[in-house]
Amino acid sequence: TDATTASRMVTVCRERWGLPKPRALMSVIGGAADFAVGERLIEAFNEGFAKAAKQTGAWVIAGGTNSGAMAVTGQAFAGETGTVLLGVLPWGCVHHRDVMADAKGRQVLYPKAPLANSREGAQVERNHSHFIMVDNGRTGSRGWGGENSFRVRLEAAISQEVPSVTIVMGGG
């Protein structure tokens, strides 16, 4: 079942990737469009959010792209080590996916050459510690949202064991 697949992914994260057992789950959802937020508010968010995640031993799950709420979330963890920031995003919308297509379980160095984010695709956000790229068979603008049902099941599997909170920012 789909729930079994999500539970298996949690096992992969822990056993194959060596991630620590989460003690909480923080889910960040929001718009992909860039939005204006005051510098003081961003600084407060960055400091408080990263500190809360680290102190609670939370896994943070976000969209993983370098746009909108996902970019803000990633920036909050710039320079952080030891905190799991997991990006769940649609494979068919990832810029430079050709570099990763034949990785099959090995690490890949993501290109630094920037491509503009658009309806067709986006860069990954570099401060995320890990990524799960969900292939729904669609690419470009038709692929967006194809990861959502898997992400919901993944978060449900994690939150069966630990407390969870959802943070909504910038619309969506």
Side-chain angles (χ1 to χ4, degrees), residues 39-103:
E39 188 174 317
R40 286 183 35 202
L41 182 58
I42 287 288
E43 287 176 11
F45 174 78
N46 288 354
E47 182 180 324
F49 187 39
K51 184 176 181 180
K54 190 168 200 140
Q55 287 180 346
T56 61
W59 282 12
V60 179
I61 297 181
T65 61
N66 194 29
S67 60
M70 291 75 65
V72 171
T73 301
Q75 291 162 9
F77 291 87
E80 279 292 318
T81 57
T83 302
V84 174
L85 176 53
L86 183 61
V88 179
L89 59 163
W91 168 254
C93 299
V94 176
H95 284 331
H96 301 298
R97 67 182 174 274
D98 56 314
V99 175
M100 298 175 272
D102 296 322

Side-chain angles (χ1 to χ4, degrees), residues 85-168:
L85 176 53
L86 183 61
V88 179
L89 59 163
W91 168 254
C93 299
V94 176
H95 284 331
H96 301 298
R97 67 182 174 274
D98 56 314
V99 175
M100 298 175 272
D102 296 322
K104 294 189 172 67
R106 49 184 181 86
Q107 281 189 321
V108 174
L109 194 58
Y110 190 78
K112 289 186 178 183
L115 292 173
N117 293 334
S118 70
R119 293 180 53 80
E120 297 301 311
Q123 299 271 118
V124 298
E125 199 292 318
R126 63 188 175 96
N127 294 303
H128 284 67
S129 61
H130 299 80
F131 295 93
I132 298 173
M133 298 178 190
V134 180
D135 189 356
N136 67 350
R138 296 185 176 148
T139 59
S141 62
R142 295 182 314 124
W144 291 114
E147 76 287 5
N148 290 340
S149 62
F150 175 79
R151 179 175 167 176
V152 166
R153 293 188 308 274
L154 178 68
E155 291 178 0
I158 295 168
S159 63
Q160 287 180 356
E161 305 291 328
V162 299
S164 64
V165 63
T166 299
I167 300 161
V168 180

Side-chain angles (χ1 to χ4, degrees), residues 18-50:
L19 300 184
K21 182 177 181 181
R23 295 193 323 244
L25 171 65
M26 297 175 151
S27 174
V28 181
I29 58 174
D34 291 331
F35 53 94
V37 179
E39 188 174 317
R40 286 183 35 202
L41 182 58
I42 287 288
E43 287 176 11
F45 174 78
N46 288 354
E47 182 180 324
F49 187 39

